[in-house]
Amino acid sequence: MYEGPIQVLIDQLAKLPGLGPKGAQRIAFSMLAGDKQEIDRLIAALGDVRDNVNFCARCGNVAADEFCRICSDSRRDATKICVVEEPKDIYAIERTKEFGGRYHVLGGALDPLNGIGPDQLRIRELLQRLANQPDGVDVSEIIIATDPNTEGEATATYLLRMLKDFPGLEMTRLASGLPMGSDLEFADELTLGRALSGRRALA
């Protein structure tokens, strides 16, 4: 245990995903030894994120305005919606340059053991989006790109059940190439690109 502010900083950093006490300690002491202007820039960036970052009113992606840059881009194919768990998954898919449609962020995956059911996800918003067709274009394909793990598969199955009655809507799932039990954000561009181009229909 360290004294005063440095221990408070270590404790706060250790709460971040992927950082344990040792990693938090290394970062804290790196900041302590670093340039004070760098710390000021970090503080300003954190404040900017807290005060000025929103979530897109249409898809749930991170946005600086009401709509994210993808939903605001008229060149994107509005007939295809790729459903992902988190905003970070959008950027993983965008790196492949294989998908030119739009997205819908669920905000997680079904996980009943941890109290995450359909009401905790943005499934209702997806249904409303399909029913209202805000772009004035009929959506013809929903690509389910949830993580290839137990929770992601359960979410995909639930979405299939909820969306199967929409007329003319094709449901597809990312194809093989993504290892089971992994997270989408850690997949390399080639693997993710092949998975997108080889997506399969859900029966």
Side-chain angles (χ1 to χ4, degrees):
M1 292 286 289
Y2 298 94
E3 292 185 10
I6 193 70
Q7 186 60 49
V8 173
L9 178 59
I10 291 170
D11 291 342
Q12 292 303 311
L13 289 170
K15 293 177 182 177
L16 296 173
L19 266 188
K22 288 187 177 179
Q25 181 177 306
R26 280 195 298 273
I27 292 172
F29 279 97
S30 173
M31 289 179 177
L32 188 63
D35 186 349
K36 290 189 176 181
Q37 288 183 334
E38 285 295 320
I39 295 175
D40 289 340
R41 281 192 280 272
L42 176 60
I43 292 169
L46 290 171
D48 204 27
V49 167
R50 180 194 62 204
D51 298 333
N52 298 318
V53 174
N54 307 304
F55 291 96
C56 178
R58 182 172 296 155
C59 74
N61 188 17
V62 173
D65 298 306
E66 182 182 8
F67 298 113
C68 70
R69 63 174 179 81
I70 294 173
C71 285
S72 301
D73 188 349
S74 60
R75 296 169 298 178
R76 305 289 298 210
D77 184 355
T79 67
K80 293 178 171 57
I81 295 177
C82 183
V83 179
V84 297
E85 292 181 20
E86 303 288 351
K88 64 181 185 284
D89 299 330
I90 290 177
Y91 296 98
I93 291 173
E94 285 294 288
R95 287 199 311 266
T96 71
K97 297 180 172 53
E98 289 281 340
F99 182 65
R102 298 204 172 155
Y103 294 91
H104 187 87
V105 180
L106 295 173
L110 292 174
D111 188 1
L113 293 177
N114 288 309
I116 301 175
D119 292 340
Q120 281 69 52
L121 303 179
R122 298 184 68 254
I123 294 174
R124 186 182 298 107
E125 288 83 351
L126 177 61
L127 297 175
Q128 290 171 347
R129 188 173 172 186
L130 290 171
N132 297 333
Q133 303 292 325
D135 300 309
V137 178
D138 288 338
V139 175
S140 60
E141 182 183 8
I142 293 288
I143 303 163
I144 299 179
T146 52
D147 288 338
N149 54 27
T150 305
E151 293 81 9
E153 291 298 323
T155 306
T157 301
Y158 182 83
L159 287 172
L160 173 62
R161 197 163 67 243
M162 296 300 293
L163 299 173
K164 66 180 180 180
D165 293 330
F166 278 87
L169 184 65
E170 183 183 10
M171 298 273 295
T172 58
R173 178 90 166 104
L174 290 188
S176 60
L178 294 173
M180 287 297 292
S182 68
D183 290 339
L184 206 61
E185 66 175 311
F186 300 122
D188 63 272
E189 288 88 345
L190 180 60
T191 300
L192 198 51
R194 286 177 177 170
L196 266 171
S197 60
R199 61 185 181 269
R200 56 184 168 80
L202 292 172

